[in-house]
Amino acid sequence: MIFSSKTRPGMGAKTPWGIAATASFFLFAAPPALAQTATPAVSAPVSETAVPVPARPAMWKIADKDTTIYLFGTIHILPQNAAWFQGPVQQAFESADLLVTETMLDSPATLEKVFVDRGMRHDGKTLRDSLPPLERTNLEKGLSNLGLPAETFDAFQPWYAGLLLSLLPLKAAGYDQANGVETQIEAKAASSGIARHPLETADYQIGLFADLPEKSQQRYLAEVLEQLPTLREDIAKVVEAWKLGRADELAKLLNEDESDELMRKALITNRNRSWAKWLKTRLSQPGVVFVAVGAGHLAGKGSVQDQLAKAGIRSVRVQ
């Protein structure tokens, strides 16, 4: 996950978007009633050619005598024209009888209720009143730079304000959940009749953020604000590394220099370990499974592949 404000040669600033990138794509789809309170000024869209540029994001395979499981790292929001569904990825998906993703979206009404229960404040304070003076000033400045009133996020918990602040500049720049891998691949699964299985519920994923201590939430919000000026450029680097299948570079961009170990464990390490256990159990059943989870979970130290290796299961890269 990305919290550090350090830079790496040739890579630019780290980005806290790594946090959101490892959560399921529903976190980018703010419920309408909430999203209406946070609409940034629209800036120029991401420049994309009319012809899709071929992409070859990384994919791995684990297998035994009668089971094959593909592990495909996703990006939850993308600009247009990222032509990733081709070659080995398309072949793997079309051979599968089960699609596994991080979660399945509940109905909009149910999801909005969860966000209201967990993402909104219920303590009688505003978000700004709960922040130290410097953080409050930085929040008001960040909102002003986005063309938003200072009170825009007053009703939100720090974690939800941080996630929205990571998202809003990207949406204004032309990134869209509709172009994200999960949205596209779930539509393909629905049209072809492939069975579905979620690793987690939406309520559980929201709880990963909502149950964090106040200090961890505020630290995350502060670092989002610190890195807002370079967010678009940083995300462009993440998307480019993903398109080119550079897993090691993604690991550096998404997961290195974690400053809050509690958050890292909750959002990355513990989930990777849990998913690896599920995958090991699934190998006992015959069939072909296509697993699509955030690319940050399949990159670097502590990745799902690392957890599988500890269990004696070897992952082979196939794209």
Side-chain angles (χ1 to χ4, degrees):
M1 311 303 279
I2 309 310
F3 287 91
S4 174
S5 59
K6 299 177 182 178
T7 59
R8 298 179 62 84
M11 288 188 181
K14 294 280 191 171
T15 169
W17 183 77
I19 287 287
T22 58
S24 186
F25 68 100
F26 81 89
L27 287 171
F28 291 104
L34 302 185
Q36 289 171 2
T37 69
T39 303
V42 177
S43 57
V46 175
S47 176
E48 292 283 343
T49 60
V51 179
V53 178
R56 292 184 61 83
M59 183 173 67
W60 292 261
K61 178 179 74 174
I62 61 175
D64 59 18
K65 62 182 180 180
D66 60 0
T67 308
T68 299
I69 301 178
Y70 294 98
L71 305 174
F72 181 57
T74 69
I75 295 289
H76 303 312
I77 58 172
L78 286 170
Q80 295 179 353
N81 298 325
W84 56 269
F85 192 72
Q86 59 183 333
V89 171
Q90 182 176 358
Q91 295 168 18
F93 178 80
E94 291 179 348
S95 70
D97 46 53
L98 178 66
L99 170 64
V100 175
T101 53
E102 291 183 32
T103 193
M104 293 176 67
L105 289 181
D106 295 313
S107 69
T110 300
L111 186 57
E112 182 163 359
K113 183 179 185 304
V114 176
F115 270 102
V116 169
D117 289 344
R118 307 304 303 276
M120 309 293 281
R121 303 190 68 88
H122 301 284
D123 59 1
K125 294 182 179 179
T126 67
L127 173 61
R128 286 182 296 159
D129 287 342
S130 72
L131 297 175
L134 178 60
E135 281 70 16
R136 174 172 177 151
T137 298
N138 289 340
L139 173 61
E140 292 174 345
K141 180 180 178 181
L143 289 170
S144 177
N145 290 340
L146 289 171
L148 297 172
E151 67 272 14
T152 298
F153 292 155
D154 273 357
F156 296 163
Q157 298 287 356
W159 70 267
Y160 190 47
L163 281 176
L164 284 177
L165 279 169
S166 295
L167 166 66
L168 294 177
L170 302 182
K171 296 194 76 170
Y175 287 82
D176 194 342
Q177 176 200 347
N179 299 324
V181 173
E182 285 86 354
T183 301
Q184 296 183 48
I185 211 166
E186 288 185 2
K188 295 178 187 297
S191 64
S192 59
I194 296 177
R196 293 287 315 282
H197 177 78
L199 291 167
E200 300 166 343
T201 66
D203 184 69
Y204 171 78
Q205 288 198 339
I206 293 174
L208 292 173
F209 288 87
D211 293 338
L212 288 167
E214 183 82 2
K215 287 185 178 179
S216 292
Q217 293 189 35
Q218 290 186 358
R219 185 179 299 117
Y220 169 52
L221 174 59
E223 291 173 350
V224 169
L225 289 164
E226 181 182 353
Q227 295 170 30
L228 273 179
T230 62
L231 184 61
R232 287 179 57 178
E233 293 81 1
D234 295 336
I235 299 312
K237 292 175 184 178
V238 170
V239 171
E240 185 66 14
W242 176 80
K243 287 181 178 179
L244 297 174
R246 295 175 177 171
D248 290 342
E249 184 175 341
L250 273 176
K252 294 174 182 177
L253 290 169
L254 292 175
N255 296 339
E256 282 196 352
D257 295 339
E258 175 63 78
S259 67
D260 191 314
E261 187 59 28
L262 181 63
M263 184 169 265
R264 180 184 182 88
K265 287 181 178 179
L267 299 178
I268 296 289
T269 310
N270 292 347
R271 297 169 74 204
N272 289 353
R273 187 179 298 116
S274 176
W275 297 353
K277 290 179 179 178
W278 185 91
L279 291 166
K280 180 180 179 180
T281 300
R282 185 58 183 78
L283 280 172
S284 65
Q285 304 176 44
V288 179
V289 181
F290 191 92
V291 178
V293 296
H297 293 284
L298 303 180
K301 184 179 179 181
S303 65
V304 171
Q305 298 95 311
D306 278 358
Q307 303 296 342
L308 288 168
K310 293 178 181 178
I313 301 171
R314 179 171 174 261
S315 304
V316 177
R317 183 161 176 177
V318 293
Q319 173 168 291

